[in-house]
Amino acid sequence: MLRAPIKDVDKITTCTIGTPQGGPISPTLANIVLHELDRELEKRGHRSVRYADDMMIFCKSRKAAERTLNHIKPFIEKKLFLQLNDQKTKIRHIASADVKFLGFGFWADRGGVIKARPHKKSKDKCKARLKTLTNRNRGQSLDTFRDKLTEFVRGWVNYFRDTSMAMFVRRTDEWLRRRIRQIYWKQWKKTSTKYCALVKLGKSKEQAWKFANTRKSYWHTAKSQILSTTLTNEFLQSKGWVCLNDVYKSGRVRY
């Protein structure tokens, strides 16, 4: 398995060192080899956390961290015959902005208690993915848009649900609902379809006709008062659209 060639699109390369990234054997071998490191850290009285080959070692001061790194590096390289990634091996305060572990970042509350939250890069990737899923030019049915969005939202929120992210969830949902309204406006296409839809949603014929003929952009229209009072949050929820807060405020969803 270790010597099996790796295929990347149409290119095939031989594997001469390490384990194939993403392969099922990689985390298994990491746990076998790094089990010795876990025991060594316990023997030395260090607190640590590890997932496969991702590890954090906690120390009380920077000096203690420097001393620990100097002592543990020879064990890793000479005893386990592994090579530390110097670019990723850093000494940082746990609440530093560049500390990222399995997608999580950390912060200290007023009492000095360290808490977890989605790292900024994780939040950025989340919004980028949501933007892709709600791209009005994808040419999909509303059901397809809704199903794919629901799948991603549930998975992402459940992964980070035990962290502090209420503000991020609230702000992202405001933006996400605007993108969903934009999808509806794009799907209606014709002026006559827009007019009929707005009337059905409770607007007067005069208001509906005036707004159906607007020349403003889809994105601008999605934030308008007339869509926010017709395609309301309650309406979107009744149609099965799931936003981040719907999952975050509920119990863990199993699917």
Side-chain angles (χ1 to χ4, degrees), residues 65-79:
E66 291 172 349
R67 185 167 57 249
T68 299
L69 179 58
N70 291 334
H71 289 170
I72 207 67
K73 187 175 181 179
F75 178 85
I76 294 173
E77 296 184 341
K78 296 180 180 179
K79 180 71 181 293

Side-chain angles (χ1 to χ4, degrees), residues 26-44 48 50-55 72 75-76 79-80 82:
S26 299
T28 303
L29 288 179
N31 284 333
I32 293 172
V33 175
L34 295 176
H35 176 74
E36 292 186 50
L37 178 58
D38 296 338
R39 300 289 79 82
E40 181 67 18
L41 290 169
E42 286 180 6
K43 187 172 70 175
R44 298 186 184 193
S48 63
R50 181 178 65 80
Y51 185 88
D53 62 345
D54 234 350
M55 171 173 274
I72 207 67
F75 178 85
I76 294 173
K79 180 71 181 293
L80 301 181
L82 300 174

Side-chain angles (χ1 to χ4, degrees), residues 16 47 65 68 74 88 97 102 108 113 132-133 137 144 168 228-229 251 254:
T16 58
R47 291 185 177 184
T68 299
K88 294 183 178 180
L102 303 179
V113 178
T132 299
L133 290 172
N137 296 320
T144 303
F168 171 75
S228 62
T229 55
R254 299 193 181 277

Side-chain angles (χ1 to χ4, degrees), residues 3-247:
R3 294 175 180 173
I6 301 171
K7 183 177 182 181
D8 184 9
V9 191
D10 295 329
K11 183 180 179 182
I12 297 178
T13 57
T14 57
C15 188
T16 58
I17 189 172
T19 59
Q21 187 174 5
I25 196 173
S26 299
T28 303
L29 288 179
N31 284 333
I32 293 172
V33 175
L34 295 176
H35 176 74
E36 292 186 50
L37 178 58
D38 296 338
R39 300 289 79 82
E40 181 67 18
L41 290 169
E42 286 180 6
K43 187 172 70 175
R44 298 186 184 193
H46 294 303
R47 291 185 177 184
S48 63
V49 59
R50 181 178 65 80
Y51 185 88
D53 62 345
D54 234 350
M55 171 173 274
M56 297 177 74
I57 303 173
F58 305 101
C59 302
K60 293 183 177 180
S61 66
R62 185 174 184 86
K63 284 187 177 181
E66 291 172 349
R67 185 167 57 249
T68 299
L69 179 58
N70 291 334
H71 289 170
I72 207 67
K73 187 175 181 179
F75 178 85
I76 294 173
E77 296 184 341
K78 296 180 180 179
K79 180 71 181 293
L80 301 181
F81 303 103
L82 300 174
Q83 184 67 43
L84 279 179
N85 187 325
D86 292 330
Q87 291 183 337
K88 294 183 178 180
T89 304
K90 301 177 181 179
I91 296 175
R92 293 287 188 273
H93 187 276
I94 185 63
S96 296
D98 60 345
V99 171
K100 179 173 172 282
F101 185 71
L102 303 179
F104 294 87
F106 306 90
W107 63 287
D109 66 13
R110 293 181 180 180
V113 178
I114 300 297
K115 296 182 178 180
R117 62 185 173 190
H119 192 272
K120 183 181 182 303
K121 290 183 179 179
S122 299
K123 294 177 183 178
D124 292 343
K125 287 182 179 179
C126 173
K127 290 199 69 173
R129 181 61 177 155
L130 290 173
K131 188 173 183 178
T132 299
L133 290 172
T134 54
N135 187 335
R136 68 175 190 271
N137 296 320
R138 289 170 70 89
Q140 302 175 147
S141 67
L142 288 174
D143 288 340
T144 303
F145 272 114
R146 186 167 48 242
D147 292 345
K148 290 183 177 180
L149 181 64
T150 298
E151 182 181 2
F152 173 75
V153 167
R154 284 180 174 171
W156 194 90
V157 175
N158 277 325
Y159 182 76
F160 291 105
R161 71 174 303 110
D162 294 326
T163 68
S164 304
M165 59 173 179
M167 186 175 294
F168 171 75
V169 164
R170 185 168 59 254
R171 290 178 177 175
T172 302
D173 275 354
E174 292 174 0
W175 169 83
L176 179 58
R177 289 191 182 98
R178 184 178 176 183
R179 293 193 64 82
I180 294 172
R181 292 184 180 105
Q182 181 182 232
I183 291 173
Y184 273 91
W185 195 245
K186 172 71 173 181
Q187 292 269 342
W188 290 341
K189 293 183 180 179
K190 296 181 180 179
T191 301
S192 57
T193 307
K194 295 174 182 176
Y195 168 76
C196 293
L198 291 174
V199 170
K200 189 176 181 180
L201 289 168
K203 288 300 174 184
S204 67
K205 293 182 178 180
E206 183 180 355
Q207 284 180 311
W209 183 251
K210 180 180 178 180
F211 205 74
N213 284 278
T214 183
R215 294 186 178 182
K216 294 179 179 178
S217 68
Y218 291 111
W219 183 239
H220 187 281
T221 305
K223 196 180 180 181
S224 66
Q225 185 267 347
I226 198 163
L227 283 192
S228 62
T229 55
T230 51
L231 300 177
T232 62
N233 295 352
E234 292 73 22
F235 172 84
L236 296 178
Q237 192 172 39
S238 71
K239 293 298 181 180
W241 292 96
V242 175
C243 291
L244 281 71
N245 197 49
D246 298 327
V247 182

